[in-house]
Every structure is written in structure tokens, then in C-alpha cells.
Amino acid sequence: TEWYYLRRQLGGRYRLVAWDLPGLGRSASPADKNFGLDELAADLRAVLDEAAGRGPVVLLGHSIGGMIALTFARLYPGELGGRVAGLV
């Protein structure tokens, strides 16, 4: 529900993908209980592979989502400027 109003405003103009982080919302916790940022950034990459294809996408994150996006940028710098067009 955190993104309700933003999704309502942008949903008609853009394709939006809202990822339910592991262990939050309706998602189960990881079996190994690994909530490390590197693991979550790898999960984000898998979400992009499944939902976004080649992009371009803009990653938007708040709180831990912002930390995951920054970790993603550190671990996968080749994605920036290509598939990932921006970070918010």
C-alpha cells in the first residue's frame, strides 16, 4: 500500500512493476533467512529479467528499496545506462 497514490498517478502512462520484497507484504521469507542487500539486489535482477526484459526501466526505491537499488547499481554497473535508464 506504500505506493498506492504514485501507482494511481503513473499507472495510466507507464507500465509499473511493484515488487513485494521477500518477507514483507504477502511474500514468504527466504528459506535461508538471508535478507542481505547483495541477495536482495540479485533478486531485483531476477525480477527485471522476468518482468522488464531489455528495458529501459527506472528503478524507484524508498527506504530499504533505495538501498537495494544502490546495491544493484554497485553489483551490476553494466546495467546502468542500458536496461536501467535511471534510479530514483
Side-chain angles (χ1 to χ4, degrees), residues 10-22:
L10 298 178
R13 293 184 286 169
Y14 303 97
R15 179 172 178 254
L16 305 177
V17 176
W19 172 35
D20 191 9
L21 295 175

Side-chain angles (χ1 to χ4, degrees), residues 10 12 20-21 24-26 29 40 49 55 59 67 71 75 80 83:
L10 298 178
D20 191 9
L21 295 175
L24 299 175
R26 296 180 182 155
S29 295
L40 291 170
D49 288 345
L59 299 178
M67 292 186 286
T71 302
L75 293 176
L80 304 178
R83 175 163 65 169

Side-chain angles (χ1 to χ4, degrees), residues 26-62:
R26 296 180 182 155
S27 294
S29 295
D32 63 0
K33 303 295 186 209
N34 183 355
F35 291 96
L37 288 173
D38 287 2
E39 181 66 29
L40 291 170
D43 291 346
L44 173 57
R45 189 173 199 198
V47 169
L48 290 177
D49 288 345
E50 183 67 28
R54 301 181 95 165
V57 301
V58 175
L59 299 178
L60 179 95
H62 168 70

